[in-house]
Amino acid sequence: MFARIIPMVIKEFLQLRRDKAARFLLVVPPILQMLLFGYAATFEVYHVSTAVLDLDHSQESRDLIARFTSNGRFNVMKLARSQRGIDKAIDSSEATVAIVVHAGFAELLRKGQGAPLQVIVDGTNSNTALIALGYINTIAAGFAQDYVTDLMQRVGQETRPLQVTLEQWPWFNPDLNGRWFFVPGVIGTLTLVLIVNLTAFAIVREREVGTLEQIMVSPIRPAEFILGKTVPFFLVGLGEVALVVAVGLLWFRIPFVGNPFVLLFGTALFLLSSLAVGLLISTVCSTQQQAFSTNFFILSPFFILSGFAFPIASMPQVLQWFTFVNPLRYYLVVIRATLLKGVGIDVLWPDFVAMAILALLLLTLSILRFRKTLE
Amino acid sequence: MTAPVAADAQVDAQVVVENLVKRFGDFVAVDHASFRIGHGEIMGFLGPNGAGKSTIIRILCGLLRPSAGRVSVAGIDVARDPELVRQRIGYMSQKFSLYRDLTVEENLRFFGGIYRVPRGELAERMRFAIDMAGLGGREKTLVGTLAGGWQQRLALGCAVLHRPPILFLDEPTSGVEPKSRRRFWDLIHALAADGVTVLVSTHYMDEAEYCHRAALINQGRIIATGSPDALKHTALGGELLLIECEALGPALAALRQQAPGVIDASVFGNAIHVLVRDADRGIDELPAYLERRALPPIRIERINPSLEDVFVQLIAADAAKRRQAA
């Protein structure tokens, strides 16, 4: 039935072996990108450039400011001497955050009243701004707590003020290390981009070179041709995933607490569905230029609407529906869950089923789209 | 089988085309073409680039769908069962279409696999193709590095790997040096001698001499079909004289005006080819006619028409007929 797949697979591997550029592109850029993106993709906020204006010049104000300068989250770039200096620092993006301690800050504290602290944040990047505000809140609250405790001790009051303390113990990632979240995402995204790019040109190139015409007049069946293109890229994809996962585990020290076979199974389904996307592009396009543009058009939404960075649950309903046809969406769940949580198929089966359906649907579509005519 | 093919004169016609029309939008690429090719026959398609030769061949291979008309290959309706047809044909496209990044051997093995040449036969068939192409000792050479003539012969070898009874060759000798072209035609003849039916297109007029029959194609229409000899002697509708003259232009004009017995005249190189109703009468009367106009001929003689003469003449006649119809 499918006897012609074997010569197709042999041919594809021979061509790959001869293609020095492709061999390089399959190994070096994925490792480099993995290293780069592993560091770059993070929501954590460090070294926020900060400007400070102290109009109180009290021991209290100096103490508070010291808590910012000594904290790795903030980089105090500028000690302003007037409100104008603060405005300039924010306008010119010299500082993202400005902290102003107004005159009378210490006096209000000593009276036991609440003392306002002015914070100006450049909200252009709302995410950084929100996170920075959170840190500022924590620092200010810590300062207030210490001040009150200190005051009470000095006044000689024995009874401590009532406190509610939060005992944090986040599961699966106790240190809330952002890299643990992002590196698996980078693995999935890199694999998707690589596989779709590889397969999208697989048929178009033969069409452009003219070899496809020779294939078309042969008695090969569309299914044999498409599957003959699928198998080699599937094997190449498995190698790719092994490579980038190795970088994630060995270099970024991402834990792998789950079952490797669950990940392998999920990866297989993910590869099949992604290369089906590429092959479909390749059967629809008539030139490599078209395939290139189509790739770009398809891959960007796949990336944004995958849950790589932006939670799918927060997206408008319509976009959430779109994510259902996105193989990356399911794979990110699978790879994060197997690496970090160690859950099995009993939990992940809906994602497995979804990827299997996508792969089947898209491959069938490619086979139906592949016509053995030039029209 | 009740197909009308059996009732026809050419009982063993391997290719039957009747009233074939192919339109691309408003453009008519093939205009009511009809022809047959018999078993073991070499049929040549002659015509300028864009005449519709490739389109007809692609339709015969099932690569393009006809807009109208009937096409059958090896007794199979191409529109109905293109896959069955594909098992019986070998095809060489106009553009070289083997894998340049595979070796001679790898290409042959790949196409052998695609055509499901039985394992036991494959080695022998590959040997045959390699010997035929004269590529012995170069089995491990990348095809992309071979010279044009070798590439074309290898492509032919690939096309016959599965022993197809019918071969469609689309301009197989274009861009190949004359010596290699000659050798390629020898291969075609050897295959035809084994009973393979061959349809081969070319824009080299001289190559038509190698065909059993040739069809002249212009603007999508088959304007003449016949053996090279028949085309030269009957398709012209007259006999051909060669006249050499000092002033070619005025002489051509004079011959086209009211010269006795002249059907048409055209310039060929530094002489004029004159189509006359009767060659002997032309040789008698035309020198006097030209001398009266102060255009004495240097030389006048009867010549055997080349296919190029026939083709030029037929295209002109066809154009005139169309103008009249319009």
Side-chain angles (χ1 to χ4, degrees):
Chain A
M1 172 68 190
F2 293 116
R4 295 186 186 93
I5 294 177
I6 294 162
M8 278 291 296
V9 173
I10 294 172
K11 183 215 92 179
E12 293 292 331
F13 273 117
L14 284 172
Q15 287 188 299
L16 197 63
R17 205 183 69 188
R18 298 263 154 73
D19 192 341
K20 276 186 197 148
R23 263 173 10 212
F24 173 82
L25 288 174
L26 282 176
V27 178
V28 180
I31 293 179
L32 281 181
Q33 289 184 351
M34 187 68 201
L35 289 173
L36 287 175
F37 297 161
Y39 283 111
T42 173
F43 273 149
E44 282 175 72
V45 173
Y46 289 100
H47 314 301
V48 182
S49 50
T50 307
V52 172
L53 173 60
D54 182 1
L55 297 170
D56 195 44
H57 302 292
S58 59
Q59 194 199 327
E60 283 84 346
S61 68
R62 276 190 293 274
D63 179 22
L64 177 60
I65 288 163
R67 287 171 186 249
F68 284 96
T69 47
S70 64
N71 187 308
R73 304 269 180 198
F74 296 93
N75 246 2
V76 177
M77 313 292 291
K78 185 171 181 173
L79 291 169
R81 264 178 257 148
S82 68
Q83 187 66 43
R84 264 190 55 222
I86 290 290
D87 293 351
K88 239 183 84 190
I90 296 280
D91 285 349
S92 64
S93 299
E94 193 188 344
T96 309
V97 168
I99 293 160
V100 184
V101 187
H102 287 282
F105 177 77
E107 203 184 319
L108 282 169
L109 283 179
R110 285 171 207 150
K111 279 187 194 156
Q113 294 180 359
L117 172 69
Q118 188 187 3
V119 175
I120 301 164
V121 179
D122 177 356
T124 316
N125 184 340
S126 55
N127 192 53
T128 306
L130 266 176
I131 294 170
L133 272 175
Y135 293 143
I136 293 169
N137 250 326
T138 313
I139 290 173
F143 171 79
Q145 189 78 55
D146 291 351
Y147 189 83
V148 169
T149 314
D150 185 49
L151 192 70
M152 289 196 170
Q153 275 172 359
R154 269 188 280 150
V155 173
Q157 214 164 337
E158 287 301 311
T159 48
R160 289 183 155 215
L162 209 56
Q163 273 187 31
V164 178
T165 44
L166 188 62
E167 286 290 335
Q168 294 191 48
W169 181 244
W171 282 15
F172 310 124
N173 185 356
D175 298 330
L176 286 181
N177 185 339
R179 199 153 285 145
W180 287 22
F181 174 73
F182 277 110
V183 168
V186 172
I187 294 172
T189 310
L190 271 182
T191 309
L192 177 81
V193 172
L194 205 93
I195 289 297
V196 172
N197 271 324
L198 213 58
T199 46
F201 296 111
I203 300 171
V204 181
R205 195 183 302 116
E206 289 214 34
R207 199 188 301 275
E208 272 192 4
V209 175
T211 47
L212 194 61
E213 194 169 324
Q214 201 66 51
I215 298 267
M216 280 174 174
V217 294
S218 81
I220 194 168
R221 294 186 188 87
E224 291 170 324
F225 181 74
I226 294 290
L227 292 178
K229 289 276 180 188
T230 305
V231 174
F233 293 119
F234 174 75
L235 296 175
V236 168
L238 280 182
E240 284 301 322
V241 173
L243 190 71
V244 286
V245 166
V247 175
L249 299 184
L250 300 175
W251 184 265
F252 290 109
R253 298 275 159 205
I254 306 299
F256 191 168
V257 296
N259 183 339
F261 289 103
V262 176
L263 182 60
L264 182 69
F265 186 29
T267 303
L269 291 174
F270 171 60
L271 286 173
L272 285 176
S273 44
S274 341
L275 61 83
V277 170
L279 286 175
L280 190 59
I281 293 174
S282 215
T283 51
V284 173
C285 296
S286 46
T287 63
Q288 296 195 54
Q289 185 62 40
Q290 276 177 21
F292 185 78
S293 322
T294 312
N295 270 0
F296 189 74
F297 183 73
I298 296 261
L299 285 176
S300 306
F302 270 14
F303 170 64
I304 301 285
L305 302 176
S306 65
F308 171 82
F310 319 111
I312 292 171
S314 319
M315 292 172 192
Q317 193 60 52
V318 181
L319 290 183
Q320 290 196 32
W321 288 332
F322 180 83
T323 64
F324 289 128
V325 298
N326 183 356
L328 187 57
R329 174 217 157 112
Y330 305 108
Y331 188 58
L332 289 188
V333 173
V334 170
I335 191 168
R336 281 170 181 155
T338 43
L339 290 183
L340 306 179
K341 292 188 186 175
V343 296
I345 294 186
D346 50 325
V347 175
L348 294 173
W349 68 266
D351 298 284
F352 279 58
V353 169
M355 285 192 290
I357 291 175
L358 262 182
L360 212 64
L361 211 69
L362 293 173
L363 277 175
T364 310
L365 216 56
S366 303
I367 291 169
L368 293 176
R369 270 287 323 180
F370 180 71
R371 290 275 154 71
K372 290 175 69 182
T373 62
L374 296 168
E375 283 165 295
Chain B
M1 217 172 95
T2 56
V5 182
D8 274 310
Q10 271 175 310
V11 177
D12 61 347
Q14 288 280 59
V15 177
V16 179
V17 172
E18 278 166 8
N19 281 316
L20 175 63
V21 178
K22 178 66 189 175
R23 293 183 208 94
F24 294 107
D26 287 338
F27 175 67
V28 183
V30 181
D31 190 0
H32 293 89
S34 299
F35 62 92
R36 278 154 191 273
I37 311 174
H39 181 85
E41 189 178 24
I42 302 174
M43 166 76 120
F45 267 14
L46 264 69
N49 287 326
K53 303 183 302 269
S54 292
T55 307
I56 296 176
I57 291 178
R58 284 174 164 175
I59 290 170
L60 289 171
C61 296
L63 287 171
L64 294 173
R65 258 183 291 272
S67 307
R70 202 173 72 87
V71 177
S72 101
V73 171
I76 306 153
D77 187 332
V78 180
R80 201 168 305 154
D81 199 348
E83 286 307 316
L84 199 58
V85 169
R86 282 176 182 133
Q87 290 173 13
R88 317 252 159 113
I89 61 168
Y91 171 63
M92 262 180 80
S93 71
Q94 202 171 355
K95 204 170 160 189
F96 179 70
S97 56
L98 300 185
Y99 292 92
R100 290 166 189 278
D101 49 352
L102 297 187
T103 65
V104 169
E105 212 172 51
E106 287 162 354
N107 264 292
L108 288 169
R109 192 165 286 128
F110 170 67
F111 284 103
I114 293 294
Y115 278 99
R116 303 200 63 184
V117 174
R119 205 175 264 271
E121 258 178 64
L122 186 59
E124 180 232 314
R125 291 304 294 164
M126 282 173 64
R127 197 67 250 159
F128 171 78
I130 287 167
D131 289 344
M132 188 175 96
L135 282 167
R138 299 203 184 198
E139 290 84 349
K140 309 254 187 273
T141 310
L142 286 185
V143 164
T145 63
L146 292 173
W150 305 93
Q151 285 189 346
Q152 292 307 88
R153 287 198 293 274
L154 179 64
L156 181 65
C158 265
V160 299
L161 211 53
H162 58 294
R163 297 180 190 276
I166 301 168
L167 262 182
F168 295 128
L169 311 175
D170 195 0
E171 304 220 352
T173 54
S174 85
V176 174
E177 48 137 353
K179 221 171 99 188
S180 290
R181 274 166 53 192
R182 177 69 236 200
R183 192 162 162 199
F184 195 89
W185 277 98
D186 289 342
L187 296 177
I188 294 177
H189 274 272
L191 288 165
D194 282 344
V196 177
T197 303
V198 184
L199 171 57
V200 53
S201 74
T202 178
H203 60 258
Y204 297 115
M205 293 295 158
D206 58 307
E207 290 191 338
E209 308 278 357
Y210 303 138
C211 303
H212 297 143
R213 255 179 344 129
L216 300 184
I217 302 178
N218 189 46
Q219 296 186 1
R221 284 143 45 103
I222 296 181
I223 55 179
T225 319
S227 71
D229 274 349
L231 281 174
K232 280 184 278 192
H233 292 114
T234 61
L236 272 181
E239 292 174 307
L240 210 59
L241 295 179
L242 175 137
I243 297 179
E244 266 177 41
C245 211
E246 289 278 334
L248 275 184
L252 182 71
L255 287 165
R256 278 179 168 172
Q257 275 163 12
Q258 326 103 335
V262 171
I263 302 168
D264 198 9
S266 45
V267 172
F268 262 84
N270 52 5
I272 301 173
H273 286 194
V274 188
L275 185 65
V276 291
R277 279 186 205 95
D278 188 298
D280 295 335
R281 262 189 66 195
I283 290 171
D284 282 348
E285 294 172 4
L286 287 177
Y289 171 80
L290 286 169
E291 268 159 35
R292 274 200 300 276
R293 282 162 181 74
L295 298 161
I298 301 163
R299 189 155 73 105
I300 180 161
E301 62 183 33
R302 184 187 178 140
I303 53 165
N304 281 325
S306 70
L307 276 168
E308 199 154 353
D309 291 312
V310 176
F311 201 59
V312 168
Q313 180 58 34
L314 287 174
I315 285 179
D318 186 54
K321 207 162 69 187
R322 281 198 203 198
R323 265 198 305 278
Q324 267 179 354

